Amino acid sequence: MQKIKTALLSYGMSGKVFHAPFINFHPGFELVGAWERTKKLIREDYPTVKSYFAIEALLEDDVDLVIVNTPVETHYEYAKKVLLAGKHAIVEKAFTTTVAQAQELAALAKEKGLKLAVFQNRRWDSDFKTVQKIFSDEVLGEIVEAEFHFDRYNPLLSPKQHKESANSGAGILKDLGPHLIDQALYLFGLPKAVFADIRITREHSLVDDYIDILLYYPDFRVRLKAGFFVREPIPSYVIHGKKGSFLKPRGDVQEDDLKLGKKPNLDTWGTESKSKEGILHTQINNDVFIANIETLQGNYYDFFEGVYQSISNDTQEPVTAQDGVRVMQIIEAAIQSNAQKKAIDL
């Protein structure tokens, strides 16, 4: 197996938790190192890798794939440098800060024959994979409405300055919003129009921390919500069809397990508690059916396997640059809608 030499553009929480464990575990990748500006931490976890003093040193090294896991406002600048250096790239969400930037990166990767994937890892959450199966099995009948939530209770501002300063990449719309938007587009496709209410609710906050986005499809509606003042959570996924409903709480355990230092595997990884099972209430063969539905296993490994296959066998990336463009189209439309207080046609 040809190993893909991979480097990170930072080794903070995302590098330590979401990327390095899977790159190190997957037999098709070799973790080469990370660009570390001040704190030199990666060698504490991976003693044989490199800690680069500058992005130029990293890009000049024998590296095949670079993970752009820096603050959102830097994604475009760094991803462009990576592609111009002839390296494949994974870019975290939000992909960029504008549609134009996303389109330029997609075109540049295509021009250079490079793979460019967006790290929308929540497609491989156990809860969303279960929602996806319910939808694809068509047990709810024709969809009438769906509502996806990414709710938290955390009134305190983040200690990370880039998350709370008024910059082009900050705010919940470009933090949690891309997860919800990508999942909606993955299931339902691009909507016809977007309406959005974007607010600041935390004391002293300079960035948006509440979103309520309504996606208009010809025959149904999808609502996406995220905020920091939900102490008693409601189901994170609610889908109503003309035959029945499916309600599912958020229950994926991968992020929490990774933060505890647990290492991914291919057997028990991403297995939810039975207490988090969703409830299906519908009609099957003219009989009313109501039951808890076993949650599918989640695993972010599958994203990295998709990236490996795309580079090694020239298959499509697991989340394409065009997927990233479409998410940015919704984000831009949401900003415009909030400013004009009206629905924006796509």
Side-chain angles (χ1 to χ4, degrees):
M1 178 178 281
Q2 180 79 21
K3 286 187 177 289
I4 297 169
K5 296 179 180 180
T6 304
L8 309 168
L9 288 194
S10 71
Y11 195 69
M13 192 276 280
S14 73
K16 182 182 179 71
V17 170
F18 288 113
H19 298 291
F22 292 96
I23 293 297
N24 188 60
F25 174 60
H26 192 293
F29 293 98
E30 177 187 341
L31 181 61
V32 175
W35 176 22
E36 296 185 286
R37 298 149 187 77
T38 52
K39 297 178 181 179
K40 304 295 183 178
L41 300 175
I42 193 168
R43 284 180 174 169
E44 293 180 8
D45 297 327
Y46 306 96
T48 62
V49 306
K50 299 177 182 179
S51 177
Y52 296 95
F53 65 91
I55 188 173
E56 291 77 15
L58 185 154
L59 295 178
E60 289 169 2
D61 204 0
D62 182 18
V63 172
D64 305 306
L65 170 67
V66 178
I67 299 177
V68 181
N69 59 322
T70 52
V72 173
E73 65 175 339
T74 68
H75 284 182
Y76 166 74
E77 175 190 354
Y78 291 151
K80 186 173 182 179
K81 286 184 177 182
V82 168
L83 295 171
L84 288 173
K87 317 291 187 183
H88 304 290
I90 295 172
V91 182
E92 282 198 340
K93 55 79 195 168
F95 183 27
T96 56
T97 61
T98 68
V99 173
Q101 290 176 349
Q103 290 172 329
E104 183 182 340
L105 291 179
L108 180 59
K110 184 176 181 180
E111 174 192 331
K112 292 194 165 290
L114 296 166
K115 296 299 182 179
L116 175 58
V118 184
F119 189 60
Q120 291 287 359
N121 59 309
R122 300 290 177 178
R123 288 191 194 181
W124 289 270
D125 276 358
S126 52
D127 36 44
F128 180 69
K129 286 181 67 177
T130 307
V131 169
Q132 181 188 347
K133 185 176 189 306
I134 291 293
F135 176 74
S136 62
D137 286 348
E138 299 182 344
V139 293
L140 304 179
E142 184 181 341
I143 301 300
V144 175
E145 64 172 328
E147 189 163 322
F148 296 175
H149 285 247
F150 213 128
D151 295 326
R152 293 174 173 173
Y153 184 80
N154 186 9
L156 302 178
L157 303 185
S158 171
K160 297 179 180 178
Q161 186 175 356
H162 69 270
K163 285 182 172 287
E164 299 293 354
S165 62
N167 65 76
S168 61
I172 200 170
L173 178 62
K174 291 177 181 173
D175 183 17
L176 300 181
H179 291 315
L180 295 168
I181 294 167
D182 180 73
Q183 289 181 345
L185 299 189
Y186 188 62
L187 283 190
F188 306 115
L190 202 64
K192 299 297 183 184
V194 177
F195 180 82
D197 181 24
I198 305 170
R199 300 164 54 199
I200 295 176
T201 61
R202 295 170 303 161
E203 189 175 1
H204 305 304
S205 178
L206 300 177
V207 301
D208 57 88
D209 53 24
Y210 170 95
I211 54 172
D212 184 355
I213 301 172
L214 188 62
L215 306 181
Y216 290 78
Y217 294 87
D219 300 315
F220 60 95
R221 302 287 182 265
V222 176
R223 170 163 262 125
L224 309 174
K225 296 190 68 175
F228 288 105
F229 286 102
V230 183
R231 188 158 235 160
E232 184 61 36
I234 62 174
S236 293
Y237 298 94
V238 177
I239 304 181
H240 299 299
K242 292 188 175 179
K243 287 185 178 179
S245 303
F246 183 66
L247 282 69
K248 173 75 177 73
R250 188 172 298 281
D252 189 86
V253 299
Q254 294 182 82
E255 180 174 351
D256 288 342
D257 283 350
L258 289 164
K259 286 178 176 177
L260 291 173
K262 296 181 181 180
K263 302 302 181 185
N265 62 71
L266 297 180
D267 300 318
T268 59
W269 186 258
T271 302
E272 275 191 24
S273 164
K274 284 188 68 66
S275 66
K276 297 291 187 179
E277 288 181 346
I279 185 168
L280 175 64
H281 188 175
T282 191
Q283 183 175 316
I284 300 176
N285 297 326
N286 296 320
D287 294 325
V288 174
F289 175 89
I290 181 168
N292 288 347
I293 300 300
E294 183 178 0
T295 305
L296 298 180
Q297 185 178 348
N299 203 334
Y300 300 153
Y301 179 94
D302 293 339
F303 170 85
F304 292 96
E305 170 64 14
V307 171
Y308 174 80
Q309 293 298 333
S310 73
I311 294 173
S312 297
N313 299 315
D314 196 25
T315 60
Q316 182 172 280
E317 301 93 330
V319 184
T320 67
Q322 194 56 43
D323 291 336
V325 170
R326 284 190 282 265
V327 170
M328 291 311 305
Q329 287 176 322
I330 301 299
I331 287 175
E332 280 199 359
I335 294 170
Q336 186 179 354
S337 171
N338 183 68
Q340 299 182 14
K341 307 303 179 189
K342 69 177 186 179
I344 303 300
D345 292 330
L346 294 180

